[in-house]
């Protein structure tokens, strides 16, 4: 599988070199390492340049501070062949939205300028995120990562040409709403992520569980699902090989 949202530069990983080596030696074909601010965006670019399976996104998370123009400069001043998207950006209810909303809009505009898709974080703000996306449309696609289950928001995302990605929470016994979303989502609009190390402490095993849950819900073979998810990732992230 292609892990479309992960953080292999996180300080929460006890042994980063081992974690990267384990991924490189796994059957997984790619990992999209997500930038949260200028510093972490630089880190994920470095990892992608040093490891064939790793790719990068650059951006400012809603809970982090930063200047979007610094992200623009980073793109132009880096080897950007493996920078797949802008983000993660978006909105988060646990903090005031005064700075989040302008930064979100600026990153949509930056993604459009650079002809890149957008990786969106939306926690408790699905409706406001949709309102912004309707006014400032990402022209090169977007994904709402670790999608909070909401069938109305799913409908709006699909109408806007977006994708959702799901992670380890769909395997929990309490995931009834998430399972309804997976059954309802068009098969060409779903991605898999692990959000390691925040939602997964064993990405190899957790990835299999997420994959198998979707396979069960969609009632299809392993090769069929692999082909669909691989195609979806490459449709959104055009630079992905």
């Amino acid at each position: 599988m292609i892990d479309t949202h992960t953080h292999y530069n996180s300080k929460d990983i006890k042994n980063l070199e081992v974690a990267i080596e384990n991924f490189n030696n796994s059957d997984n074909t790619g990992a999209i390492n997500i930038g949260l601010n200028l510093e972490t965006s630089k880190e994920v670019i470095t990892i992608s340049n040093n490891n064939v399976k790793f790719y990068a996104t650059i951006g400012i998370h809603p809970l982090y501070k930063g200047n979007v123009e610094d992200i623009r400069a980073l793109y132009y001043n880096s080897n950007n062949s493996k920078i797949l998207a802008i983000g993660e950006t978006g909105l988060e209810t646990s903090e005031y939205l005064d700075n989040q909303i302008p930064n979100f809009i600026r990153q949509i505009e930056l993604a459009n300028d650079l002809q890149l898709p957008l990786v969106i974080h939306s926690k408790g703000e699905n409706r406001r995120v949709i309102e912004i996306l309707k006014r400032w449309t990402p022209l090169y696609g977007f994904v709402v990562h670790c999608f909070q289950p909401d069938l109305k928001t799913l409908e709006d995302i699909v109408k806007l040409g977006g994708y959702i990605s799901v992670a380890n929470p769909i395997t929990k016994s309490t995931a009834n709403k998430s399972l309804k979303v997976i059954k309802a989502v068009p098969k060409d609009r779903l991605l898999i992520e692990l959000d390691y190390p925040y939602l997964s402490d064993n990405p190899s095993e957790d990835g299999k569980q997420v994959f198998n849950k979707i396979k069960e819900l969609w009632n299809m073979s392993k090769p069929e699902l692999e082909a669909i998810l691989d195609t979806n990732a490459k449709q959104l992230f055009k630079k992905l090989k």
Side-chain angles (χ1 to χ4, degrees):
M1 60 174 267
I2 297 169
D3 185 347
T4 62
H5 192 110
T6 193
H7 298 274
Y8 272 86
N9 61 315
S10 172
K11 304 302 184 289
D12 292 337
I13 300 174
K14 292 180 180 178
N15 193 324
L16 183 58
E17 289 185 5
V18 170
I20 291 174
E21 182 180 2
N22 287 343
F23 187 91
N24 285 334
N25 292 332
S26 73
D27 293 334
N28 296 318
T29 55
I32 302 176
N33 226 7
I34 306 295
L36 302 174
N37 59 6
L38 183 60
E39 178 185 358
T40 57
S41 294
K42 290 177 180 177
E43 292 171 355
V44 296
I45 291 172
T46 298
I47 292 171
S48 72
N49 288 338
N50 293 333
N51 297 274
V52 172
K53 288 188 177 183
F54 281 82
Y55 297 82
T57 77
I58 57 175
I60 302 170
H61 187 283
L63 300 186
Y64 285 67
K65 295 180 180 179
N67 188 324
V68 176
E69 287 309 305
D70 289 338
I71 298 299
R72 182 191 300 273
L74 178 63
Y75 181 84
Y76 284 117
N77 293 327
S78 303
N79 173 7
N80 58 44
S81 62
K82 296 181 78 177
I83 299 176
L84 302 187
I86 297 300
E88 65 185 285
T89 180
L91 302 179
E92 159 89 63
T93 50
S94 64
E95 296 286 344
Y96 291 113
L97 297 177
D98 293 0
N99 293 324
Q100 293 184 41
I101 291 174
N103 260 359
F104 183 25
I105 293 169
R106 291 187 192 107
Q107 287 178 90
I108 296 172
E109 294 172 338
L110 175 60
N112 289 344
D113 289 346
L114 299 179
Q115 300 182 16
L116 293 174
L118 198 70
V119 176
I120 296 175
H121 171 104
S122 177
K123 188 171 182 181
E125 288 292 341
N126 278 348
R127 299 318 308 162
R128 202 184 307 255
V129 165
I130 292 298
E131 290 170 7
I132 290 172
L133 293 176
K134 286 179 177 179
R135 289 192 62 189
W136 290 273
T137 304
L139 301 179
Y140 298 90
F142 66 93
V143 57
V144 178
H145 101 91
C146 200
F147 181 65
Q148 291 182 304
D150 178 344
L151 289 172
K152 177 62 176 75
T153 302
L154 172 65
E155 180 183 344
D156 289 329
I157 288 169
V158 171
K159 285 181 180 178
L160 289 167
Y163 295 70
I164 66 166
S165 66
V166 294
N168 202 37
I170 71 165
T171 67
K172 307 302 182 186
S173 59
T174 55
N176 293 331
K177 289 183 179 180
S178 293
L179 302 189
K180 289 179 181 178
V181 163
I182 292 170
K183 289 177 180 178
V185 64
K187 289 182 172 55
D188 62 349
R189 299 296 183 87
L190 184 68
L191 303 172
I192 279 184
E193 65 169 278
L194 291 177
D195 205 10
Y196 174 72
Y198 305 117
L199 291 180
S200 167
D201 55 12
N202 188 341
S204 179
E205 285 305 310
D206 291 341
K208 291 175 184 176
Q209 290 181 21
V210 175
F211 181 93
N212 287 334
K213 176 57 70 173
I214 298 169
K215 182 166 71 74
E216 171 193 329
L217 292 170
W218 284 1
N219 190 27
M220 60 176 53
S221 69
K222 182 175 182 285
E224 286 176 316
L225 183 56
E226 284 176 341
I228 287 172
L229 295 174
D230 187 67
T231 298
N232 292 352
K234 291 178 179 178
Q235 279 292 111
L236 178 61
F237 302 107
K238 302 296 186 186
K239 293 183 179 181
L240 190 62
K241 296 180 181 179

